Amino acid sequence: MLDHKTIYILAIESSCDDTSAAVLMNDKVLSNIVATQAIHKEYGGVVPELASRAHQQNIVPVVDQAIAKANIDKKQLSAIAFTRGPGLMGSLLVGTSFAKSLSLGLHIPLIEVNHMKAHILAHFIDDENMKAPTFPFLALTISGGHTQIVQVNDFFDMKIIGQTLDDAVGEAFDKSAKILGLPYPGGPLIDKHAANGNHLRFNFPIPKVKDLNFSFSGLKTSILYFIQKQTKEDPNFILDNLEDICASIQYTIITILMLKLKKAVKLTGIKEIAIGGGVSANSGIRNALLEAQTKYGWNTYVPKFEYCTDNAAMIGIVGYYKYKNEIFAQQDVTAKARYLIS
Ligand code: KG4
Ligand code: ZN
């Protein structure tokens, strides 16, 4: 293991629609800049071609800002870490190519990072408001593209023990929001409207899926039929009941997640539970996990808000541990749209 006094990692994340760059000094975040692409709002979802073009425009200023905010010189950087996948190919290519060129230019090592692993290992960022889980722990990764339960035995020893068979939980939030006429991405808006709603007002079905797997496509369909039926009878139904509808949808989604988490704890005997991914910003899931601490005796870990949604700091923390273990990538490394956790 390399034992340097201070390691500076520049990290780049460009897997979907956020261009992000961060600088870490060992496991501490010195800067974490995120440029969110507003253009997709008009289209109700991420348009891959537009995303890669926006990454091209954003990447240089975002990296410059991250380095300036960290108040270091490029020459001090020990390595460049970047998201290799999973994600949109056109988006990944921008970050990958940029990282490869900079590593060549600065003569420093290149580190490839799996985006989903980064969502899990974000918990190891040294921050006064966060505590890292102890191994082994269960990670519930919930984002716009993934829903997984991962058994994490060590930094580089992880196994997926459950996952969605169709839509990801973030998609379930976003598609439900779309049915309600809310703009993209609708997940945070459902969360916001749910805050004052009655979650028991409307009932949506809990799917029966085997093992530790999830399914969200049936829920989306039942919400669609329910809304179509109600608005036929009363055109103002959504407007008049938005808070209760959002609270009921959110409650159903969280019930589905918690049922599987409870099953995973029972099967593995592991009570250390960490969440990661954009949907872990949801206040309902955060509260449910807090409750589970006293109710079931779990130790639960929720990352700071800015480390939940896509960000480069989480890529940087994986970069730091890979650097310490001398796990470097070569210049011929390529982006991977599908990249499973192993
Ligand atoms: O991890 P992430 O930023 O990007 C992906 O890798 O997919 O996750 C984005 C997803 C979106 O579906 C978004 O609606 C959802 O996370 N999300 C939320 C909340 N904040 C973000 N869903 C529910 N409640 C939130 N507060
Ligand atoms: Zn993500």
Side-chain angles (χ1 to χ4, degrees), residues 131-160:
K131 204 172 112 220
T134 49
F135 297 115
F137 65 90
L138 297 179
L140 175 70
T141 49
I142 38 180
S143 73
H146 295 85
T147 305
Q148 298 175 332
I149 301 180
V150 182
Q151 181 171 330
V152 188
N153 298 319
D154 202 349
F155 287 107
F156 306 112
D157 177 6
M158 308 182 181
K159 194 173 135 213
I160 298 170

Side-chain angles (χ1 to χ4, degrees), residues 4 21-22 29 31 100 128 135 144 150 156 163 169 228 230 232 237 280 292 303 310 327:
H4 283 243
V29 177
S31 61
K100 283 163 78 165
E128 56 184 6
F135 297 115
V150 182
F156 306 112
Q163 60 191 320
V169 64
Q228 280 176 342
Q230 297 295 328
K232 219 178 194 173
F237 177 76
S280 45
D310 288 350
I327 307 173

Side-chain angles (χ1 to χ4, degrees), residues 115 119 143-145 170 173-174 185 187-188 191 277-279 281-282 309-310:
H115 179 90
H119 271 305
S143 73
F173 269 107
D174 296 340
D191 192 3
V279 182
N282 181 269
T309 42
D310 288 350

Side-chain angles (χ1 to χ4, degrees), residues 8-11 21-25 28-31 66-67 70 72 77:
Y8 290 101
I9 305 280
L10 170 68
V23 175
L24 271 75
M25 184 177 77
K28 283 196 168 57
V29 177
L30 298 183
S31 61
I67 292 174
I72 63 157
L77 291 172

Side-chain angles (χ1 to χ4, degrees), residues 293-309:
Q293 304 217 103
T294 39
K295 215 162 152 189
Y296 312 122
W298 298 357
N299 292 321
T300 62
Y301 302 86
V302 180
K304 246 171 100 174
F305 193 79
E306 66 243 56
Y307 304 139
C308 286
T309 42

Side-chain angles (χ1 to χ4, degrees), residues 207-226:
K208 288 192 176 57
V209 188
K210 273 175 66 180
D211 306 320
L212 296 174
N213 294 327
F214 300 91
S215 166
F216 290 100
S217 65
L219 174 66
K220 177 191 64 194
T221 312
S222 75
I223 293 169
L224 178 67
Y225 289 164
F226 170 75

